Amino acid sequence: MNRRIFFPVLLAVAGILFFAFREDDEAAKKKYAATITVADLKKHLSIIASDEYEGRETGKKGQHMTAEYLAKQFMSYGIPPLVKPLADVNGVITNDPANYYQTVPLVQLRAGGGMIITKTQDFSFGVDYYYTAGIVDQQVHIENIVFAGYGIQDSAWHDYDKLDVSGKAVMVLADEPTNKNGKSLITGTNENSLWTTNRRRKTGEAKKRNASALLIVIPDFQTRYKQNKRAIEAPTLQLDNQEKAKADMPVIYISKEMADSLMNEAKQKQTVDKLIAKAKKKKSIPHFSFAQSLDIIIERKAEKIKSENVLGYIEGSDLKDELVIVTAHMDHLGTDGTAIFNGADDDGSGTVAVLEMAEAFAIAKKEGNGPRRSILFMLVTGEEKGLLGSEWYADHPVFPLANTVCNLNIDMIGRIDPAHKNDTNYVYTIGSDRLSTELKTIIEKNNTRYTGMALDYKYDVPNEPNNFYMRSDHYNFAKNGIPIAFFFNGTHADYHKETDEVSKINFPLMERRTHLIYFNCWEIANRDKRLVVDGKK
């Protein structure tokens, strides 16, 4: 054949084959997306967000039940376990759900241990004082206490003017000064300032001035203790591999009776009630120092427990050494007495979305349309306790982090927040161009092509006050230089409340959001080149 004829014919045939492949790929992509349905999402969510699962608190019965349910779903999809199943004595292979687990060892710490004493007095936790379990175990000896009013320092109120508190304990009153009519002397209105609503403000101010301890006096101590009993007594969890935390300035909440006793022992003629009364009348309050020997000993009660991440791995073909990770957290808040925090949206919605995506890709692989890159569908534990499950994976990756192309994280995609009550076809997208500008482009292209949602970037800006970029599991991948995209519906009136129930989920919207994430996962797993890491945010 004439070469001048041969090459154009060859190019034409190649073009036909290329577009035929594209059409086949497009048809396959849509075919498997169609397996992600409202009915299946609702079926799974109605199980794991039911009362039977007891709020899925990390390390508790309900969370272990959830892990087992998720592993059995992966098993039913034909996704092989990462741990090779063992044969019994008769040589029969059994597939244990635990073969899908990555064990996450934890230490549970409870407040209440230790003591606070003076030379003549011994104070009691829950009666005279309390601290939260997030404090660091330590011993602090105090010789001097500085009473610094309300511990407020800004343009409206100056408690730290001319006060040197370095190396000393600071005693301050809770909340903020008000006049006799109950109006704040900081805001001039009935609304409280951030010095009351943000508990970190006073702590940060005392810490900045190198105080050795902060004693916050609560006039209605017993009332507030009962109101906040669950939060005070709730254990904190940390990974068992962590080094002992560096001692930090202890923050102790004390009763006015304890404050009065400390001042009386030091022969001070002040009382908390007198100090508050002076603030109401004079718009100022005395500041004074007094010698007081005080020992604060914090020893939280420690217990080792175990939890687990659940891993469903679909091996790729020609690019199988590269990995896309899709995550959601299975855990929630557990119970409080008879109240059960079922967490249907947070993050039952993300958990079952990951399940449905895993099934779609498993069917695709079974039918010869598996992904080129491998995909790890990972349901993590301990998000509500500080992103612990994803941190453990990042520190102990099953597959090299250097081979991980990106992380798509799903946390709350089943509801509508107040800002979108009249425009419900949306999803917040966070972090998609911070490490890879390509990732944001891919998401926007697939959204235009397949789902037509409003991609809201409200929370994807520097110094965003809610700091959502650092508040879910994608952050542990981003910290390691792995491009991420976080999909989120925003908070709502039922966020972290027992009213976060399946009955309030918008399943058609949840299906559409899951489809969006699925289409992006498909493209990232099948494109010729891995995402370029070029972001500077």
Side-chain angles (χ1 to χ4, degrees):
M1 182 182 289
N2 188 298
R3 288 199 310 178
R4 285 181 295 177
I5 298 173
F6 173 76
F7 283 114
V9 170
L10 182 63
L11 289 172
V13 171
I16 292 169
L17 290 173
F18 173 77
F19 286 108
F21 171 79
R22 286 294 298 268
E23 288 172 1
D24 287 345
D25 182 67
E26 190 70 14
K29 189 189 303 186
K30 291 180 178 178
K31 172 184 174 182
Y32 302 117
T35 68
I36 300 169
T37 65
V38 164
D40 285 346
L41 291 166
K42 189 172 186 178
K43 177 187 73 174
H44 293 306
L45 189 58
S46 297
I47 293 170
I48 69 166
S50 67
D51 287 355
E52 183 183 356
Y53 282 68
E54 299 179 356
R56 310 189 303 278
E57 185 173 357
T58 300
K60 299 287 183 68
K61 175 187 171 184
Q63 183 265 303
H64 295 310
M65 288 172 62
T66 307
E68 182 177 359
Y69 178 83
L70 299 172
K72 285 182 176 178
Q73 294 308 307
F74 285 154
M75 202 184 303
S76 72
Y77 302 155
I79 297 174
L82 285 169
V83 176
K84 187 176 179 180
L86 298 176
D88 64 16
V89 291
N90 298 314
V92 177
I93 300 292
T94 56
N95 212 347
D96 188 333
N99 293 335
Y100 292 82
Y101 295 167
Q102 180 190 39
T103 299
V104 180
L106 301 167
V107 177
Q108 179 175 267
L109 299 160
R110 291 184 180 275
M115 63 182 74
I116 298 182
I117 57 175
T118 68
K119 290 179 179 177
T120 62
Q121 299 180 82
D122 188 343
F123 299 103
S124 300
F125 186 94
V127 177
D128 304 303
Y129 71 92
Y130 71 83
Y131 57 83
T132 63
I135 201 169
V136 176
D137 290 1
Q138 59 191 291
Q139 296 184 20
V140 178
H141 178 71
I142 290 163
E143 289 290 345
N144 292 283
I145 297 177
V146 179
F147 178 76
Y150 283 88
I152 296 172
Q153 185 73 16
D154 63 16
S155 58
W157 195 267
H158 312 279
D159 276 322
Y160 283 102
D161 278 1
K162 299 179 181 179
L163 280 185
D164 178 12
V165 301
S166 180
K168 303 170 185 176
V170 178
M171 180 190 293
V172 302
L173 298 171
D175 305 324
E176 60 194 77
T178 59
N179 64 19
K180 62 182 180 180
N181 298 317
K183 280 191 175 182
S184 166
L185 298 179
I186 307 297
T187 66
T189 70
N190 290 323
E191 297 293 321
N192 288 322
S193 73
L194 287 172
W195 292 99
T196 293
T197 59
N198 184 345
R199 61 184 175 82
R200 294 181 177 87
R201 287 293 287 265
K202 293 186 181 184
T203 300
E205 192 66 38
K207 192 180 293 185
K208 182 173 73 175
R209 297 170 184 276
N210 298 315
S212 60
L214 178 62
L215 309 176
I216 301 179
V217 183
I218 302 178
D220 53 343
F221 181 86
Q222 285 302 324
T223 300
R224 291 209 199 179
Y225 187 87
K226 289 175 183 175
Q227 288 173 345
N228 298 299
K229 192 171 188 293
R230 182 175 186 268
I232 295 165
E233 297 182 358
T236 188
L237 292 177
Q238 65 183 40
L239 295 173
D240 196 16
N241 68 333
Q242 290 180 341
E243 294 181 5
K244 190 173 181 180
K246 183 181 178 182
D248 198 4
M249 180 191 76
V251 180
I252 312 294
Y253 299 86
I254 68 174
S255 67
K256 72 174 182 178
E257 290 79 12
M258 178 173 169
D260 288 346
S261 292
L262 291 173
M263 290 187 287
N264 182 59
E265 185 175 312
K267 303 202 176 345
Q268 296 293 308
K269 296 181 180 180
Q270 300 285 3
T271 67
V272 170
D273 286 339
K274 287 180 182 178
L275 292 166
I276 292 174
K278 288 178 181 178
K280 287 182 182 295
K281 290 179 181 178
K282 299 182 179 180
K283 295 189 178 181
S284 64
I285 195 165
H287 303 102
F288 53 91
S289 300
F290 56 96
Q292 175 60 275
S293 178
L294 184 69
D295 286 294
I296 299 173
I297 302 169
I298 307 297
E299 293 177 350
R300 293 167 297 172
K301 302 165 186 175
E303 177 188 356
K304 291 192 176 187
I305 64 172
K306 287 184 179 179
S307 188
E308 53 277 318
N309 296 328
V310 182
L311 282 57
Y313 175 68
I314 294 181
E315 188 175 63
S317 55
D318 60 314
L319 299 174
K320 66 180 181 181
D321 289 340
E322 294 182 6
L323 185 73
V324 178
I325 300 182
V326 184
T327 52
H329 71 90
M330 75 178 91
D331 64 302
H332 194 55
L333 303 181
T335 62
D336 180 16
T338 58
I340 303 175
F341 294 78
N342 284 320
D345 190 30
D346 184 15
D347 183 30
S349 61
T351 298
V352 301
V354 171
L355 266 191
E356 280 293 283
M357 290 175 61
E359 183 180 25
F361 277 94
I363 295 170
K365 180 165 183 178
K366 198 178 298 182
E367 295 183 358
N369 292 302
R372 298 177 67 190
R373 290 178 178 84
S374 300
I375 306 176
L376 180 63
F377 294 98
M378 181 163 62
L379 291 318
V380 298
T381 187
E383 191 271 355
E384 300 288 4
K385 304 295 186 180
L387 316 185
L388 299 180
S390 55
E391 181 180 349
W392 181 263
Y393 181 88
D395 291 342
H396 304 83
V398 177
F399 304 97
L401 293 183
N403 293 358
T404 302
V405 172
C406 79
N407 168 232
L408 303 176
N409 184 45
I410 314 170
D411 194 346
M412 299 172 59
I413 58 164
R415 295 285 296 272
I416 299 160
D417 73 352
H420 293 86
K421 62 182 180 180
N422 298 319
D423 178 22
T424 61
N425 191 36
Y426 78 99
V427 67
Y428 290 109
T429 310
I430 300 172
S432 59
D433 66 347
R434 298 203 186 198
L435 290 163
S436 173
T437 52
E438 272 188 326
L439 181 54
K440 183 176 183 178
T441 301
I442 288 169
I443 292 170
E444 291 182 339
K445 180 193 75 174
N446 283 318
N447 179 56
T448 300
R449 188 167 191 173
Y450 300 111
T451 48
M453 307 184 78
L455 301 180
D456 194 326
Y457 297 108
K458 172 184 175 180
Y459 297 122
D460 197 21
V461 294
N463 302 314
E464 194 279 311
N466 293 284
N467 205 16
F468 287 126
Y469 178 68
M470 297 175 69
R471 283 174 54 183
S472 192
D473 294 294
H474 57 275
Y475 188 61
N476 282 316
F477 294 97
K479 285 195 300 185
N480 285 281
I482 296 167
I484 65 92
F486 172 31
F487 300 90
F488 174 53
N489 55 219
T491 58
H492 42 73
D494 301 305
Y495 173 66
H496 278 196
K497 294 181 180 176
E498 60 180 302
T499 49
D500 183 4
E501 296 284 2
V502 174
S503 60
K504 298 182 179 181
I505 296 293
N506 184 325
F507 283 101
L509 180 57
M510 182 176 159
E511 178 193 77
R512 201 174 311 126
R513 288 166 173 164
T514 306
H515 282 168
L516 172 63
I517 302 160
Y518 159 86
F519 283 121
N520 286 298
C521 184
W522 184 287
E523 176 162 345
I524 295 164
N526 286 292
R527 68 202 305 263
D528 290 333
K529 294 182 179 179
R530 67 182 289 170
L531 294 173
V532 174
V533 180
D534 62 348
K536 296 179 181 178
K537 297 182 183 181

